[in-house]
Amino acid sequence: MQFSPFSISRLPRINYGRGRINEVPALAAAYGRTALLVTGKQSFCATPRWQVFTGALEAKGLRWLHFTVSGEPSPMGVDAAVSRFRGEGVDVVIAIGGGSVLDAAKAVAGLLPHGNSVMDHLEGVGKNVPYRGPSTPFIAVPTTAGTGSEATKNSVLSVQGPEGFKKSFRDECLIPEYAVIDPDLLASCPRELIAADGMDAFTQLLESYVSIKANPFTDALAWSGMTAFKAGFFAAWEGIEPEAGDGRAAMAYAALLSGITLAQVGLGSVHGLASPLGAYFPIPHGVVCGTLVAAATAVNIEAMQAREPNHPALAKYAEVGRLLTGRNEIDDAEARAALIALLAEWSDRLQLPRLHRYGIGAEDFPLIVANSRGSSMLTNPIVLTDAEIEEVLVERL
């Protein structure tokens, strides 16, 4: 193994394990007396856990305010929350929810001390004003196992429609103080959400594993995450106890590692395409990942075999093929083919909708391809041609 120079950016403090949400009130109280809670409309605040949690905050002497996030977070929603809560003396922001909730809360926490619009800092569409911090202390508590936002510096915000975009507000000041990973919070996730979010986490692990910036540190984490995914994903999705509980624990761990690895070394072509697809069409991010990952993997492998046959990512794809199929005896070519076949089989088994279900047609491909070369595509293992990127879309139309 070669050890070339690499750098690892700051991580949150991580508290992982069942029941760890009960530690959040004490963690929050260390930052002051006023907490802003950011949740979805139903995912947590409509459950009995809500009364228990807010009661525990009050028992620690905390005054709490509440903001809900519905659907994909937008710059307008973030700006409205900052305007509403800036004069409230918020000492700590606590996000309890899925990736959309965490991303919105991350941006709100970053802007509460300053009061300006998030559009000042949003990559590619804003004013490109450098963000200097500080951010309000932020505690991230995911209730899904997908985006890994609890471990990243990215707040992904979007505006949907013909002039839409999906871009990041990104800075190390935005990294949560704590990521509290409680697998029990995943128990209320519906089956279709487990499918989409799980495939998002897996795609992030695979893409970071073959990223051009990958290093031995991130490879170890990505491999551990993919091993956990293999062990737990379908048990969590099928929902048969007690196996489902162990599956949720494995998936919460895998999603956390996917956030860590993507934050360190980037992603690839699936996430490059997810940006315009999510901006222009009402397609959930996890569905994009689950429905495109097999085709994108096949196109990457074909491109490297044609133009860079000694590329190290080819061996890595083979390693993953052997890991996921359990067929350790097969050679690299067979293992890569087995990986592509297995990923396509997963997409069908999970009944993930194809692109046309969201109003996407072949006539939209030029616009999607033209806007796919953002930061994620820059770390894909090989530079794809426009025709190769379109091939991924054609395969899953």
Side-chain angles (χ1 to χ4, degrees):
M1 180 182 292
Q2 293 185 348
F3 289 91
S4 301
F6 65 88
S7 299
I8 300 297
S9 61
R10 187 169 71 85
L11 297 171
R13 286 167 281 192
I14 296 168
N15 292 0
Y16 170 91
R18 293 175 176 173
R20 300 298 296 261
I21 191 175
N22 298 325
E23 300 171 8
V24 173
L27 297 176
Y31 294 104
R33 299 271 69 87
T34 299
L36 174 60
L37 304 185
V38 183
T39 71
K41 288 191 173 181
Q42 299 293 327
S43 61
F44 183 74
C45 60
T47 72
R49 290 180 181 272
W50 174 250
Q51 296 295 335
V52 174
F53 184 78
T54 54
L57 290 176
E58 292 163 3
K60 289 293 182 182
L62 281 160
R63 164 183 173 248
W64 57 272
L65 310 165
H66 186 209
F67 173 65
T68 61
V69 177
S70 180
E72 295 284 329
S74 69
M76 298 76 77
V78 167
D79 286 354
V82 171
S83 176
R84 176 180 169 189
F85 295 108
R86 189 165 184 243
E88 295 283 356
V90 174
D91 298 304
V92 60
V93 175
I94 305 168
I96 307 174
S100 293
V101 170
L102 269 57
D103 280 6
K106 194 181 296 183
V108 171
L111 294 171
L112 276 174
H114 313 286
N116 61 306
S117 172
V118 71
M119 290 299 297
D120 291 345
H121 310 296
L122 210 55
E123 294 178 350
V125 293
K127 296 180 180 178
N128 296 313
V129 177
Y131 178 75
R132 306 294 185 190
S135 175
T136 307
F138 173 45
I139 299 173
V141 188
T143 61
T144 62
T147 68
S149 180
E150 65 272 15
T152 78
K153 63 182 180 181
N154 301 1
S155 168
V156 181
L157 307 176
S158 60
V159 172
Q160 203 167 85
E163 303 300 320
F165 58 80
K166 191 169 189 176
K167 300 292 183 179
S168 289
F169 171 28
R170 192 191 317 253
D171 193 272
E172 287 208 4
C173 293
L174 304 180
I175 294 169
E177 291 290 311
Y178 284 91
V180 178
I181 317 298
D182 186 339
D184 288 346
L185 298 178
L186 276 60
S188 61
C189 283
R191 207 164 184 240
E192 62 273 15
L193 190 61
I194 292 173
D197 286 349
M199 290 306 294
D200 183 14
F202 173 78
T203 302
Q204 289 173 172
L205 290 163
L206 178 63
E207 290 194 320
S208 60
Y209 188 61
V210 298
S211 162
I212 62 170
K213 292 186 177 179
N215 60 64
F217 180 88
T218 58
D219 281 356
L221 296 180
W223 188 262
S224 181
M226 288 186 288
T227 302
F229 179 91
K230 177 188 177 184
F233 174 61
F234 281 101
W237 177 68
E238 289 164 355
I240 301 171
E241 302 295 349
E243 292 83 359
D246 293 336
R248 289 190 293 269
M251 285 307 303
Y253 172 78
L256 169 67
L257 294 191
S258 80
I260 294 173
T261 57
L262 81 84
Q264 305 300 326
V265 298
L267 293 166
S269 58
V270 174
H271 281 82
L273 283 164
S275 180
L277 284 168
Y280 302 135
F281 302 95
I283 182 169
H285 179 77
V287 172
V288 173
C289 294
T291 200
L292 293 188
V293 65
T297 298
V299 168
N300 275 348
I301 289 171
E302 290 168 7
M304 285 185 285
Q305 287 174 330
R307 298 196 293 277
E308 299 184 38
N310 296 317
H311 198 297
L314 285 170
K316 285 186 165 185
Y317 277 127
E319 292 165 359
V320 177
R322 283 188 280 266
L323 169 69
L324 297 181
T325 62
R327 297 172 61 193
N328 294 323
E329 78 287 353
I330 56 178
D331 64 24
D332 282 6
E334 291 176 293
R336 287 189 288 268
L339 171 62
I340 295 165
L342 182 63
L343 295 178
E345 177 189 316
W346 284 356
S347 182
D348 293 339
R349 179 178 175 185
L350 297 169
Q351 298 182 323
L352 293 172
R354 287 180 174 251
L355 300 178
H356 73 270
R357 291 274 299 275
Y358 297 93
I360 302 165
E363 68 277 7
D364 301 305
F365 290 174
L367 177 66
I368 296 167
V369 172
N371 288 277
S372 68
R373 296 189 182 277
S375 58
S376 292
M377 198 69 85
L378 296 178
T379 46
N380 197 58
I382 189 168
V383 177
L384 299 177
T385 66
D386 285 357
E388 287 166 338
I389 297 172
E390 185 168 315
E391 186 180 339
V392 176
L393 299 171
V394 169
E395 176 65 25
R396 299 305 296 174
L397 184 58

